[in-house]
Amino acid sequence: MDITGINSAVETLMYSANTMFILLGAIMVLAMHAGFAFLEVGTVRHKNQVNALVKIITDFGISTIAYFFIGYQVAYGMDFFASAAELTENNGYELVKFFFLLTFAAAIPAIISGGIAERAKFYPILIASALTVAFVYPFFEGIIWNGNAVFGFSLQAWLEETYGAGFHDFAGSVVVHGVGGWIAFAAVFLLGARRGRYRDGKVTAFAPSNIPWLAMGAWILTVGWFGFNVMSAQTLDGISGLVAVNSLMAMVGGVVVAMIVGRNDPGFIHNGPLAGLVAVCAGSDVLHPIGALLVGGVAGALFVWVFTLAQNKFPKFDDVLGVWPLHGLCGAWGGIACGIFGTEAMGGLGGVSLMSQLIGTLAGIAVALIGGFIVYGLVKAVSGIRLSEEEEFNGADLSIHKIGSTNND
């Protein structure tokens, strides 16, 4: 074989390997959606378990269509109306890249689902999910991960020119989790609290229906998260063991601190690793492992404190799974923390700017809040987004799906 043939074979092998690598990442993140589902199943009351399962899988289906036909083009300027021959160039890498990034996009409605559980209508919420995945999420995704300009202004280019570095969000602390959490804030605010949740100004505790299901959901998410973070490199030559170990350290930091601050509460303990993993996404490729441990620990405490405060002090803000503190606040913390612990002075690899991280994080929050209030406010005005009092009393399982989670229902 001549040198040209050898080069061609090596190139084909490289494309094949990269395609397989990112495909495995897509599958791992796809599996995380089962984690979202079972985390919600274990947290909500028994009469809403079927609805939790159905929402996650139908949201994924709707998200795929919305992202395939609209969202991916908004973010990256690429559509899928080319011939199959064109789409399968380089072993179909671009198609698999879409699959991988789709699993991120579909996490947005999966995050929101936990916040609005037990009292939301079905089809109107699916419409809202489609709109967020088609327009709101990819708008910010394209600005950060593709350098898109808005009315001729490129945020990333401006940050790099002004502060020496663009907004760094390796695996989506802000782009995915922060945006999802702050859209959820708008949805929860507009939806209102579950009936019977607050009586005479005091909280009525709705205990989780099944701690084992909740724990299984947390474990599925935790394992899948290593595909979420490590495989955000998207190619084999970009893979880094630092991302894996930083994810591990942030995870255990979240567990230990949530255990201490949450006083051994199993709900807090199983959300602790998720808080740590949300926070480390942004800087997982630049932090020192000790820095990642600290970032995860702070996130674990932040989730416990803010979730408890919101539940007890703000009676109309009924965030069932605590998705706003878990994803919205811990995601924002992760974006900012990257600019602190990612610097060489703090043992990181450098190449980050605290001012860029602050501005980028605030931009993500602004896009999410504005987009969330527009989308859910519009759907609320047109069709309503809340079950009737009787439907909510009977539970979403029977009211929407006409079946309970067991034969006894």
Side-chain angles (χ1 to χ4, degrees):
M1 182 181 293
D2 60 22
I3 189 67
T4 302
I6 293 173
N7 288 340
S8 177
V10 170
E11 189 176 73
T12 299
L13 180 62
M14 179 188 70
Y15 284 127
S16 298
N18 285 337
T19 300
M20 177 57 72
F21 173 73
I22 198 171
L23 174 60
L24 291 173
I27 293 169
M28 289 183 72
V29 184
L30 173 61
M32 291 176 68
H33 288 264
F36 282 118
F38 283 103
L39 187 69
E40 185 172 336
V41 166
T43 305
V44 298
R45 288 170 289 178
H46 194 261
K47 62 184 179 180
N48 298 296
Q49 289 182 327
V50 172
N51 181 245
L53 292 169
V54 172
K55 278 192 301 177
I56 300 299
I57 197 166
T58 51
D59 271 335
F60 191 90
I62 293 296
S63 296
T64 300
I65 295 171
Y67 198 63
F68 184 86
F69 286 105
I70 303 173
Y72 196 72
Q73 186 170 3
V74 170
Y76 300 102
M78 175 184 173
D79 61 54
F80 295 99
F81 294 99
S83 67
E86 291 180 71
L87 294 175
T88 53
E89 290 179 356
N90 301 328
N91 299 91
Y93 175 81
E94 287 298 328
L95 286 174
V96 178
K97 180 181 176 182
F98 157 77
F99 181 13
F100 181 67
L101 292 172
L102 159 69
T103 58
F104 284 47
I108 301 299
I111 290 167
I112 298 167
S113 175
I116 62 176
E118 300 201 317
R119 75 275 200 202
K121 287 185 175 181
F122 186 63
Y123 288 111
I125 294 302
L126 282 181
I127 293 171
S129 296
L131 292 172
T132 56
V133 174
F135 299 106
V136 182
Y137 167 74
F139 173 75
F140 189 67
E141 176 191 19
I143 289 173
I144 301 305
W145 284 346
N146 199 47
N148 292 354
V150 180
F151 300 115
F153 173 74
S154 171
L155 176 64
Q156 288 288 49
W158 178 77
L159 290 173
E160 188 167 350
E161 181 180 347
T162 307
Y163 300 108
F167 177 64
H168 187 91
D169 193 356
F170 180 71
S173 285
V174 177
V175 173
V176 180
H177 299 285
V179 167
W182 286 93
I183 292 176
F185 180 95
V188 170
F189 181 87
L190 290 170
L191 196 60
R194 289 168 288 178
R195 291 180 174 89
R197 176 64 169 154
Y198 298 95
R199 295 174 183 172
D200 300 324
K202 295 182 179 180
V203 178
T204 300
F206 292 157
S209 60
N210 193 307
I211 295 297
W213 283 132
L214 184 158
M216 188 180 77
W219 270 109
I220 294 171
L221 283 165
T222 298
V223 173
W225 222 297
F226 287 85
F228 196 102
N229 282 3
V230 175
M231 291 173 174
S232 285
Q234 299 187 20
T235 57
L236 277 171
D237 61 344
I239 194 170
S240 171
L242 181 65
V243 177
V245 173
N246 280 342
S247 299
L248 174 68
M249 297 302 284
M251 179 197 84
V252 299
V255 171
V256 172
V257 174
M259 173 190 68
I260 296 169
V261 178
R263 299 180 181 180
N264 302 329
D265 182 285
F268 287 142
I269 290 172
H270 283 94
N271 276 282
L274 309 183
L277 285 162
V278 165
V280 82
C281 285
S284 56
D285 63 328
V286 296
L287 302 181
H288 187 281
I290 296 175
L293 180 65
L294 294 172
V295 169
V298 171
L302 184 64
F303 170 72
V304 174
W305 287 333
V306 176
F307 179 81
T308 303
L309 178 67
Q311 292 293 305
N312 293 322
K313 300 297 183 182
F314 302 99
K316 293 184 179 180
F317 189 79
D318 187 9
D319 182 354
V320 180
L321 268 67
V323 299
W324 171 61
L326 181 67
H327 296 274
L329 290 181
C330 290
W333 158 241
I336 296 167
C338 176
I340 301 171
F341 294 95
T343 60
E344 292 183 26
M346 296 296 288
L349 295 181
V352 295
S353 160
L354 178 57
M355 281 303 300
S356 292
Q357 295 306 115
L358 282 167
I359 293 170
T361 298
L362 290 174
I365 292 172
V367 169
L369 281 177
I370 294 170
F373 275 109
I374 289 174
V375 168
Y376 284 89
L378 180 63
V379 174
K380 180 178 181 179
V382 172
S383 64
I385 56 176
R386 181 159 187 154
L387 295 174
S388 69
E389 185 172 355
E390 181 180 359
E391 289 171 330
E392 189 177 336
F393 176 80
N394 292 332
D397 293 358
L398 294 178
S399 297
I400 297 173
H401 310 292
K402 312 306 178 186
I403 190 169
S405 58
T406 68
N407 292 332
N408 297 324
D409 293 335

